[in-house]
Each structure stands twice: as structure tokens, then as C-alpha cells.
């Protein structure tokens, strides 16, 4: 039997990864600018954490979780989303006792047993952010703005629309719920089987049904925005004003339901028309009750998650050219002595942040140069026996097709300014290496 990956799970090969790195590092930069710090939680939690957070009647909990029994009999689940685990960690480590406000972000793989199609997978990556400790509408606006600025920064905001709504809180939602039950109960004949069940358990979810009959019916259903209590209504007004004041464009869509039960008040989605059915690129909202429901102190919170694969698809559309791995220098050599020298020079260049590549297979000069070309090297250093004797190398500028002979000790000084792109990667590794 031929080995293969599990349906709905993808490999991201090196030819794609540069683009991923670019998107992830832009996200990190923006998130950190807004004061968010990274948190890493396990990809697996007790099933209960998700069932209690997302709601037992949600599609995710009912049909999409990867759940199994551990050897000790406990039920474990691969995380279908990131919020529940972050809230669990927030409570477990009593972060609230350290600071009143926490801004946390995460990047990682999520697991949902959905029917795979373009943009929808069973293993997929999210970039998420969660802000704990503020109920102020300015924090809603801050989180939504940060999300939008990220899409602007990576250059895909032209493909996107931001939609916002409010789904009220436990004062106004029960009343709205009964209005919906009343409305749909008198139209039961038109509802699909799933919605008949939803009518009893979670009528708001009917508004999100994809069946034509139900969709038609929901056109005339009461709108949540006409049924918000005074506080929720004022909060929503204020979120809108704050967004308008800094020029973030949005549309109000009272039909945003969200697939998870923990939301209160503000909810939002960023959608695209470019990806067919999988139109949500990022989404989130406020969840002021969740921390308390999972055993923490009352703590308002708001957050979002972005679907990485969908962002990557849009990014490929906006910037079709490859994000290639950059090689500054390729070193070609002839003979075993030159090979040793090449190895030494490569080490010296790499320690000084110059990306360097060479072959060890003792191939002909021609095929080494071919490889240099293929890698897109900006310079090739050629070391033959003659050069070795004279303590020199040939330095070829691949772009300008020029060649010169330079002394060994001049290689680094000559290249350091031209190959400066890597000196921007001011990682400790590079800094330390330079200091050596
Ligand atoms: P969500 O709407 O379930 O929210 O997922 C957020 C994003 O993840 C979606 O907009 C979509 O881009 C991506 N996504 C979801 N399912 C898949 C899939 N099967 N394949 C590929 N991409 C997918 C949440 O997960 C919440 N935790 C967001 C949140 C954070 N709310 C508050 N804080």
C-alpha cells in the first residue's frame, strides 16, 4: 500500500513556506505593535473544555471534533479552535491576578472533521488573538482595527469585506430567542430537519442555515439588532463610532450568527468573494461570560481568529510571483583542497549573516554553476587550484554577469554591504555570531 497523508490534512512544502513565513511574521509584528504577546497552549485538551466553551449543540461539538479516549479513560479532543484553550490557561495560571488586562495571541493547527474542499480542511492553521479584562467598546474597536490592519499590511484587504453585528447578552437574547421560536414555530413546514431540531435547542442558528427553504424563511425573521437591550445597543453604537473615527470601513450584517455559542454583544466576520463557499477569512467577537463559565472570575473578553490557508490563497492571488528562498552566495570548487577552503569560507559567510550554499558531490564546475543559477544565487565564488595557490577566488556577480578576482580576506568586506538583506534579520543568533 502506498503511504499517504490523511484526507483534509496538508503538507506545506518548502516552495510555499516562504509565503507562510512572510504572512506569519507580518502578523506577529502587527500583534506585538498592539501589545499582544504570544501564548502556546497544547493542541489537545479535555473534551469538556470544548463542549462547555463552544456549546454542546454547535456543529463543531456535535459532529466535527477529533475526540478519543485516553489510556486512563479520560476523553480528550484535538483543539477545533484556540479560544477555549487560551481561556483554560488564563484561568489555570490565574493570569487575572497578575494584570487586569491580558492581550494574547497564538498561531497553530486546529482540527475539525469537516468535508474537505478548497479553503476548508480537517487540519488547518489559525492566527488568533484574545484580549481579556476590558468591556469597553474601544477595546472592540482596537481588536477589529488590528485585524483589518493586518489584512492591509499583507496587501489583501482589497479582496475583503468587514461585517459587524451584535448578538446581545443574557438580558436581551432570551427575549429574542423566544421571538424567533414564535416566528419559526408557525412556519415549521418549511424548515429543514436540522432546523426543526435547532428550533428547540438553538433557534438563532436557523439564521445561518444554508438550505434554500430556510434561507428564504429567515428573510422576514425578527432581527437581533431590533431587539437589543439599551446597554447592548449603546455598546454596539459606540463600537461603530470608534471604527468610523479611525476610518475602518464596515457593513452591518444582523445575520452574523457565528458557529460557536460563547459570544456576547459584538461579533464580526471578514469575508471574501474570491474563495467560493469558504468565504470567511477571519472572524471573532466578544465573549464576556466564558471565563466565568469555565470557573474563572467574571472577565470580559474579545478576540478573533484568521484562517491561514485562506489568507495564503488570497495572497497567492494578489502576489502570484514566488516567494523564493534567497541565496546570496554559491561557492563552486574544483578539487579536494578547494573543497576544504569552500567549506571554511561558507562557514565564515554564514556566521556573518550571508546565506551561502555549496555542493559536496564534487560535480563538474558546469553543473555546480547550473545549481547556483537554479538557486538564484546573487554571487558565485569559484575556487580552482590556481586560485587556491594565489590565495584568491573568482567572484562572479550573477545578475550583472561580471567577474573579478579577489583575495580570500576581501570576500566578506566585499559582500557584506551588497548582501545586506540578511543583516536585517537581527536575531540573537546573528548578533552573537557577529560579536564572536
Ligand atoms: P471560527 O469562525 O470558527 O472562529 O474560525 C475562524 C477562522 O478560521 C474562519 O474564519 C476561517 O478562516 C478559519 N477556518 C475555520 N474552519 C476552517 C477549516 N475547516 N479549514 C480552513 N480554515 C478554517 C474561531 O475559531 C474562534 N475561536 C475565533 C475567536 C477567537 N473568537 C473569539 N476569539
Amino acid at each position: 500500500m502506498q503511504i499517504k497523508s490523511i484526507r483534509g490534512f496538508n503538507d506545506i512544502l518548502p516552495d510555499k513556506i516562504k509565503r507562510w513565513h512572510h504572512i506569519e511574521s507580518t502578523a506577529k509584528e502587527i500583534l506585538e505593535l498592539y501589545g499582544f504577546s504570544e501564548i502556546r497552549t497544547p493542541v489537545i485538551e479535555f473534551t469538556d473544555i470544548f463542549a462547555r466553551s463552544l456549546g454542546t449543540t454547535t456543529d463543531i461539538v456535535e459532529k466535527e471534533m477529533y475526540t478519543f479516549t485516553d489510556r486512563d479513560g479520560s476523553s480528550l479532543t484535538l483543539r477545533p479552535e484556540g479560544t477555549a484553550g487560551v481561556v483554560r490557561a488564563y484561568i489555570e495560571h490565574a493570569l487575572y491576578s497578575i494584570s487586569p488586562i491580558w492581550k494574547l495571541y497564538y498561531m497553530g493547527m486546529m482540527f475539525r472533521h469537516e468535508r474537505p474542499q478548497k479553503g476548508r480542511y480537517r487540519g488547518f492553521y489559525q492566527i488568533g488573538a484574545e484580549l481579556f479584562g476590558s468591556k469597553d467598546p474601544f477595546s472592540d474597536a482596537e481588536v477589529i482595527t488590528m485585524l483589518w490592519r493586518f489584512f492591509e499590511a499583507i496587501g489583501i484587504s482589497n479582496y475583503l469585506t468587514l461585517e459587524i453585528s451584535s448578538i446581545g447578552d443574557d438580558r436581551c437574547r432570551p427575549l429574542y430567542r423566544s421571538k424567533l421560536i414564535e416566528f419559526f414555530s408557525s412556519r415549521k413546514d418549511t424548515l429543514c430537519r436540522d432546523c426543526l431540531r435547532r428550533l428547540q435547542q438553538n433557534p438563532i442558528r436557523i439564521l445561518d442555515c444554508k438550505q434554500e427553504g430556510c434561507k428564504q424563511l429567515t428573510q422576514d425573521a425578527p432581527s437581533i439588532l431590533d431587539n437589543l437591550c439599551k446597554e447592548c445597543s449603546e455598546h454596539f453604537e459606540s463600537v461603530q463610532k470608534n471604527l468610523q473615527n479611525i476610518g475602518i470601513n464596515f457593513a452591518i450584517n444582523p445575520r452574523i450568527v457565528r458557529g460557536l455559542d460563547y459570544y456576547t454583544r459584538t461579533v464580526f466576520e471578514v469575508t471574501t468573494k474570491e474563495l467560493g463557499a469558504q468565504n470567511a477569512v477571519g472572524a471573532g467577537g466578544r465573549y464576556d461570560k466564558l471565563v466565568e463559565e469555565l470557573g474563572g472570575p467574571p472577565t470580559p473578553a474579545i478576540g478573533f481568529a484568521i484562517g491561514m490557508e485562506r489568507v495564503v490563497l488570497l495572497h497567492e492571488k494578489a502576489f502570484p510571483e514566488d516567494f523564493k528562498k534567497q541565496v546570496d552566495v554559491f561557492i563552486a570548487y574544483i578539487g579536494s583542497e578547494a573543497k576544504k577552503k569552500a567549506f571554511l569560507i561558507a562557514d565564515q559567510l554564514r556566521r556573518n549573516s550571508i546565506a551561502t550554499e555549496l555542493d559536496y558531490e564534487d560535480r563538474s564546475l558546469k553543473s555546480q554553476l547550473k545549481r547556483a543559477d537554479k538557486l538564484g544565487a546573487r554571487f558565485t565564488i569559484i575556487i580552482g587550484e590556481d586560485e587556491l595557490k594565489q590565495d584568491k577566488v573568482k567572484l562572479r556577480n550573477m545578475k550583472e554577469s561580471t567577474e573579478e578576482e579577489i583575495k580570500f580576506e576581501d570576500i566578506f568586506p566585499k559582500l557584506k554591504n551588497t548582501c545586506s538583506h540578511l543583516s536585517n534579520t537581527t536575531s540573537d543568533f546573528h548578533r552573537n555570531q557577529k560579536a564572536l
Side-chain angles (χ1 to χ4, degrees), residues 8 54 60 64 80-84 106 110-131 258-260 262-263 268-270 278-287 301-311:
L54 316 190
I60 297 182
E64 295 169 3
E81 58 99 59
T83 311
Y106 49 90
M110 309 292 157
F111 308 85
R112 297 185 192 175
H113 199 279
E114 297 192 79
R115 199 166 48 78
Q117 53 177 248
K118 189 180 177 193
R120 185 168 70 194
Y121 311 102
R122 292 181 173 170
F124 60 97
Y125 287 82
Q126 279 187 347
I127 300 175
E130 316 289 351
L131 188 161
R258 307 291 297 120
L260 310 150
Y262 50 59
Y263 291 108
F268 50 93
E269 284 181 354
V270 175
Q278 303 318 310
N279 64 351
V281 179
R286 190 163 265 296
Y287 50 97
I302 179 164
F304 62 74
I306 298 162
M308 255 311 268
E309 287 78 359
R310 296 180 192 180
V311 169

Side-chain angles (χ1 to χ4, degrees), residues 387-430:
E387 284 85 15
L388 206 58
K389 272 186 214 143
Q390 299 166 33
D391 274 355
K392 280 183 174 169
V393 298
K394 282 201 182 88
L395 179 69
R396 193 176 283 181
N397 184 326
M398 306 293 273
K399 219 175 179 180
E400 292 166 13
S401 299
T402 53
E403 192 173 283
E404 60 183 316
E405 283 203 343
I406 58 169
K407 286 192 158 308
F408 285 141
E409 62 265 33
D410 292 335
I411 299 175
F412 176 62
K414 179 99 194 164
L415 290 177
K416 79 174 171 205
N417 292 328
T418 347
C419 300
S420 59
H421 77 100
L422 266 179
S423 45
N424 294 333
T425 49
T426 47
S427 70
D428 288 344
F429 171 77
H430 287 113

